[in-house]
Amino acid sequence: MNVAFITGAASGIGLATARLFMSHGWHVAAADVDEAALRAAFGCDDRATPIICDITRPGAVDDAIAAAAAMGELQVVVANAGVHARNTVLNITDEALDRLLDVNVRGTVRTVRAAARVFAAAGRGSIVVTASDQAFIGKPGNFGYGLTKGAIAQLTRTAALELAPAGVRVNAVCPGTVDTPFVHRIFADAHSVGGGEIEAMWAEERSLFPLGRTCRPEEVAEAIFFLATQATFSTGALFKIDGGLTAG
């Protein structure tokens, strides 16, 4: 049985990715810190095994990936879990920076490292990391988040070079704004501190993209599945899914 391990699997991009792998006959080890959301998404589906996993806790991802490897032939790990906070270089607090670094950078490193150890020993495997359009461009008000996604892009490049001799591929998807609960919370938080009406924020966001809309989580899932299972000569790639935003 082919197994894919996915972090942040309870909603948004992670959930869409899990469903896509499941539709192609894979068994998904669906990892997330939100136990209730995991149970709601996968509790009654024998094509997935929910795994409660806090990627900020040392050893947790190692244990979760070991459990996934025991389910069958673990071939894919998707390091998707992440958090967001709005801030600038002028007002970011040490606490906010620590949280972003702990989840987005350290948590991703832990996931990639645990996957790399399993895959390098096996001589094969594919790792896909969720980065962002902010691996390429800056966005005012996203200082800490953009910083972490730039780090993830560099993580992807270097890990790809280090793991290629072992037959392990490492790639990243770099989405623009995706219509997920994650982004809805960002706009709701902005609204609550006087940032304007939520629909107006969405309209402004859509206007930024040459394709005239934001991304759907299923579209990111398609790219993850492609990089993980079909793009067999791709490693170290930063795959843009940004509706043309960074093209100009």
Side-chain angles (χ1 to χ4, degrees), residues 53 72 77 89 91-92 95 124 134 138 140 152 169 172 230 246:
C53 180
V77 167
V89 67
N91 67 19
I92 189 169
E95 292 78 12
R124 52 98 186 105
Q134 293 183 59
I152 288 173
R169 297 186 300 109
Q230 301 173 42
T246 63

Side-chain angles (χ1 to χ4, degrees), residues 76-164:
V76 171
V77 167
V78 181
N80 170 71
V83 295
H84 182 278
R86 287 191 60 82
N87 44 59
T88 71
V89 67
L90 293 171
N91 67 19
I92 189 169
T93 65
D94 288 345
E95 292 78 12
L97 180 58
D98 284 344
R99 174 64 174 162
L100 287 162
L101 290 172
D102 205 21
V103 179
N104 293 1
V105 179
R106 295 186 189 96
T108 301
V109 168
R110 290 184 181 111
T111 306
V112 171
R113 182 179 62 199
R117 288 170 174 168
V118 172
F119 287 160
R124 52 98 186 105
S126 178
I127 302 169
V128 183
V129 180
T130 300
S132 167
D133 56 358
Q134 293 183 59
F136 300 94
I137 58 172
K139 287 186 177 180
N142 290 267
F143 176 77
Y145 180 78
L147 179 157
T148 65
K149 293 302 183 177
I152 288 173
Q154 188 61 21
L155 175 160
T156 301
R157 296 184 186 99
T158 305
L161 294 175
E162 292 179 349
L163 294 173

Side-chain angles (χ1 to χ4, degrees), residues 25-231:
W26 288 65
H27 188 82
V28 172
D32 204 286
V33 72
D34 189 335
E35 181 174 2
L38 266 183
R39 300 299 178 190
F42 303 106
C44 298
D45 197 324
D46 60 8
R47 298 174 299 172
T49 301
I51 300 177
I52 312 305
C53 180
D54 180 355
I55 64 172
T56 68
R57 185 168 61 83
V61 184
D62 300 86
D63 292 343
I65 286 181
M71 296 173 192
E73 187 175 354
L74 180 64
Q75 296 191 31
V76 171
V77 167
V78 181
N80 170 71
V83 295
H84 182 278
R86 287 191 60 82
N87 44 59
T88 71
V89 67
L90 293 171
N91 67 19
I92 189 169
T93 65
D94 288 345
E95 292 78 12
L97 180 58
D98 284 344
R99 174 64 174 162
L100 287 162
L101 290 172
D102 205 21
V103 179
N104 293 1
V105 179
R106 295 186 189 96
T108 301
V109 168
R110 290 184 181 111
T111 306
V112 171
R113 182 179 62 199
R117 288 170 174 168
V118 172
F119 287 160
R124 52 98 186 105
S126 178
I127 302 169
V128 183
V129 180
T130 300
S132 167
D133 56 358
Q134 293 183 59
F136 300 94
I137 58 172
K139 287 186 177 180
N142 290 267
F143 176 77
Y145 180 78
L147 179 157
T148 65
K149 293 302 183 177
I152 288 173
Q154 188 61 21
L155 175 160
T156 301
R157 296 184 186 99
T158 305
L161 294 175
E162 292 179 349
L163 294 173
V168 181
R169 297 186 300 109
V170 185
N171 294 288
V173 290
C174 301
T177 302
V178 186
D179 190 352
T180 63
F182 181 88
V183 177
H184 281 272
R185 284 194 297 271
I186 294 171
F187 286 168
D189 290 344
H191 171 73
S192 69
V193 295
E197 295 303 315
I198 293 176
E199 183 48 45
M201 292 183 216
W202 275 108
E204 181 179 358
E205 194 73 15
R206 288 191 290 268
S207 72
L208 299 175
F209 296 93
L211 288 182
R213 62 176 178 85
T214 54
C215 186
R216 297 186 296 272
E218 293 78 13
E219 292 171 314
V220 184
E222 289 168 358
I224 291 172
F225 187 82
F226 170 73
L227 289 170
T229 68
Q230 301 173 42

